């Protein structure tokens, strides 16, 4: 089974997950938003949180959309205001995920991704979800990836 981890990361947690999965021979692809969130932390949380609440889609830099060679697509999203990060909203509207095994990896400060889970469960009949609390601070969380070892 060929697996691809396709993810967004603003502050490095998704990146750490990608590096771990790469060690397990999972292919990885990072997506980037054309416009990043503000650097000033309170403004960043306000702007990103508002956009996520509105389910906005961030415009992405060009990326490879061909996923035809993969059986499992693992989508990595930070949690913004309890929800999917805006670049992931775009990704989900652009990729053809028909007939793929889908797993989401959510990474957040609290480990709580209730609303994001509801969203993806509505979109995909059969979806696997892994929740992680900021693996940069909590390295043990990476053990949740052991199924890919
Ligand atoms: C705009 C914004 C909103 C966030 N909202 C939440 C939240 O609602 N709940 C939570 O637990 N963490 C929240 N966080 C923290 C991130 O989900 C967490 O730091 C995550 O691991 C970041 O992943 P990254 O480093 O790959 O970008 C938020 C972060 C940002 C930037």
């Amino acid at each position: 089974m060929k697996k691809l981890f396709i993810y967004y990361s603003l502050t490095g947690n998704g990146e750490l997950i990608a590096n771990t999965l790469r060690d397990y021979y999972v292919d990885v692809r990072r997506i980037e938003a054309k416009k990043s969130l503000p650097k000033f932390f309170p403004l960043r949380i306000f702007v990103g949180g508002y956009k996520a609440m509105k389910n906005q889609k961030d415009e992405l830099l060009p990326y490879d959309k061909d996923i035809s060679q993969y059986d499992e697509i693992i989508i990595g999203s930070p949690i913004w205001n309890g929800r999917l990060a805006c670049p992931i909203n775009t990704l989900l509207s652009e990729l053809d995920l028909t007939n793929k095994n889908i797993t989401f990896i959510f990474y957040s400060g609290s480990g709580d991704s209730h609303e994001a889970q509801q969203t993806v469960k509505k979109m995909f009949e059969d979806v696997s979800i892994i929740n992680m609390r900021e693996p940069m601070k909590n390295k043990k969380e990476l053990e949740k990836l052991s199924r890919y070892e």
Side-chain angles (χ1 to χ4, degrees):
M1 270 248 298
K2 256 194 123 190
K3 302 177 181 74
L4 173 71
F5 179 54
I6 185 160
Y7 70 104
Y8 174 75
S9 180
L10 183 67
T11 52
N13 289 279
E15 194 63 32
L16 180 58
I17 294 167
N19 289 337
T20 305
L21 289 173
R22 202 182 272 120
D23 287 347
Y24 302 156
Y25 303 104
V26 174
D27 286 349
V28 305
R29 255 179 233 174
R30 181 176 181 161
I31 57 164
E32 304 260 16
K34 258 193 180 158
K35 199 168 168 259
S36 192
L37 289 179
K39 287 214 160 55
F40 181 55
F41 185 75
L43 196 59
R44 164 178 290 189
I45 298 297
F46 178 78
V47 173
Y50 178 80
K51 281 160 47 118
M53 187 182 71
K54 294 281 180 195
N55 294 319
Q56 285 186 15
K57 297 186 185 93
D58 279 348
E59 208 178 327
L60 302 180
L61 292 177
Y63 64 100
D64 183 1
K65 295 189 182 69
D66 181 7
I67 53 170
S68 54
Q69 56 173 315
Y70 296 102
D71 310 287
E72 180 174 353
I73 307 297
I74 308 159
I75 298 167
S77 179
I79 294 298
W80 288 359
N81 202 1
R83 296 161 176 84
L84 296 169
C86 297
I88 298 298
N89 289 333
T90 321
L91 182 79
L92 292 174
S93 71
E94 291 182 349
L95 284 187
D96 180 8
L97 293 163
T98 324
N99 297 327
K100 303 289 184 192
N101 291 320
I102 311 287
T103 298
F104 279 85
I105 302 181
F106 293 133
Y107 22 103
S108 63
S110 60
D112 179 18
S113 62
H114 183 75
E115 271 151 311
Q117 290 192 42
Q118 297 295 103
T119 302
V120 301
K121 281 179 186 164
K122 270 188 212 147
M123 292 174 92
F124 304 100
E125 224 170 78
D126 208 8
V127 59
S128 247
I129 296 170
I130 299 174
N131 267 303
M132 294 175 108
R133 268 186 63 226
E134 290 178 345
M136 285 167 80
K137 284 190 197 145
N138 310 288
K139 294 276 166 1
K140 250 186 115 47
E141 291 287 290
L142 292 170
E143 289 172 12
K144 293 180 180 170
L145 303 175
S146 60
R147 73 167 80 158
Y148 296 108
E149 256 180 277

